[in-house]
Amino acid sequence: GEDVEQSLFLSVREGDSSVINCTYTDSSSTYLYWYKQEPGAGLQLLTYIFSNMDMKQDQRLTVLLNKKDKHLSLRIADTQTGDSAIYFCAERSQAGTALIFGKGTTLSVSS
Amino acid sequence: KAGVTQTPRYLIKTRGQQVTLSCSPISGHRSVSWYQQTPGQGLQFLFEYFSETQRNKGNFPGRFSGRQFSNSRSEMNVSTLELGDSALYLCASSSGRGAQETQYFGPGTRLLVL
């Protein structure tokens, strides 16, 4: 079945780069997404990548996609304390409308 | 453009009661999806409505239902509440025009069942 897996925790120091990894199972996924959730809040769309792309850069965010290994990563450059949050990787389901989410990676940034 | 709004933001109910949550999508969006978020199960898809019709449904019991109005606003209802229904319920809207549509989420309604 469809499944998305992420590591649960990542701790970095302010100013370092953060890399959050994700693996997915549905090779037919057309779009893959990264969402951010701050405490007590909903999900904020950070970025997405189309499956025919290998990389997408958006300011401090870089998304890498390895379609062969079904591996997605999100790199945050110059990580700030305000980046502390839970980051969710998601793929679109085979049904085409639902998003399948990973369990989320909690990013902790220390100063 | 205003974002996705959800009401109420917080709700406390007791077992056996029913609850109705409301979601107003981004103006012009015709698709509304609902998700349940719990610490144990994470984010799970409940259902999606497009043009007042349920277009897709997740694996939840029939106690969970929804509807969409002609102005694209959506409501979800949970009947005979159980303790395990305590969760953050998130609504997401999108244009509904195809696979490239992006879902934008509201702040959620936090439901506590006692």
Side-chain angles (χ1 to χ4, degrees):
Chain A
E2 301 159 321
D3 197 16
V4 177
E5 294 196 358
Q6 305 176 235
S7 52
L8 293 181
F9 298 102
L10 177 64
S11 182
V12 301
R13 296 180 70 91
E14 194 173 22
D16 288 349
S17 291
S18 306
V19 179
I20 301 171
N21 295 300
C22 166
T23 56
Y24 61 98
T25 56
D26 186 357
S27 58
S28 66
S29 289
T30 52
Y31 284 85
L32 295 142
Y33 302 85
W34 284 103
Y35 284 88
K36 174 184 179 183
Q37 186 176 38
E38 297 186 46
L43 297 176
Q44 174 194 352
L45 175 67
L46 283 178
T47 187
Y48 61 90
I49 188 167
F50 187 49
S51 58
N52 69 352
M53 298 169 66
D54 298 324
M55 185 184 88
K56 181 180 180 182
Q57 188 150 1
D58 185 359
Q59 298 183 327
R60 293 191 297 123
L61 305 178
T62 302
V63 178
L64 295 178
L65 175 60
N66 181 329
K67 203 173 176 185
K68 174 176 167 289
D69 294 336
K70 297 178 192 168
H71 182 266
L72 184 72
S73 68
L74 173 70
R75 178 177 179 270
I76 306 172
D78 187 25
T79 313
Q80 303 297 305
T81 54
D83 294 324
S84 293
I86 304 175
Y87 291 80
F88 291 92
C89 166
E91 65 172 343
R92 188 172 292 281
S93 75
Q94 289 180 1
T97 52
L99 291 176
I100 309 297
F101 286 89
K103 290 281 198 272
T105 298
T106 299
L107 174 64
S108 175
V109 183
S110 57
S111 55
Chain B
K1 265 188 186 179
V4 179
T5 57
Q6 293 186 246
T7 57
R9 292 293 311 280
Y10 304 93
L11 210 45
I12 300 175
K13 292 285 187 179
T14 55
R15 277 182 300 174
Q17 287 187 310
Q18 74 163 14
V19 67
T20 299
L21 312 181
S22 180
C23 171
S24 292
I26 292 170
S27 177
H29 283 188
R30 295 169 62 192
S31 169
V32 173
S33 297
W34 289 89
Y35 293 82
Q36 181 196 63
Q37 185 179 24
T38 59
Q41 298 299 316
L43 281 149
Q44 293 186 290
F45 172 74
L46 280 155
F47 30 65
E48 185 221 1
Y49 285 86
F50 176 76
S51 291
E52 302 179 65
T53 302
Q54 189 180 84
R55 186 160 73 169
N56 197 7
K57 188 177 187 302
N59 294 324
F60 278 81
R63 299 185 297 107
F64 292 81
S65 63
R67 61 177 174 166
Q68 187 179 34
F69 301 95
S70 58
N71 62 357
S72 294
R73 189 178 70 86
S74 176
E75 288 181 348
M76 69 163 278
N77 183 276
V78 188
S79 62
T80 319
L81 284 165
E82 300 177 359
L83 295 179
D85 298 332
S86 294
L88 180 66
Y89 289 89
L90 292 163
C91 158
S93 82
S94 63
S95 64
R97 282 194 293 268
Q100 67 272 31
E101 64 197 79
T102 299
Q103 294 189 14
Y104 297 90
F105 285 79
T109 294
R110 190 166 294 280
L111 172 65
L112 176 62
V113 182
L114 302 175

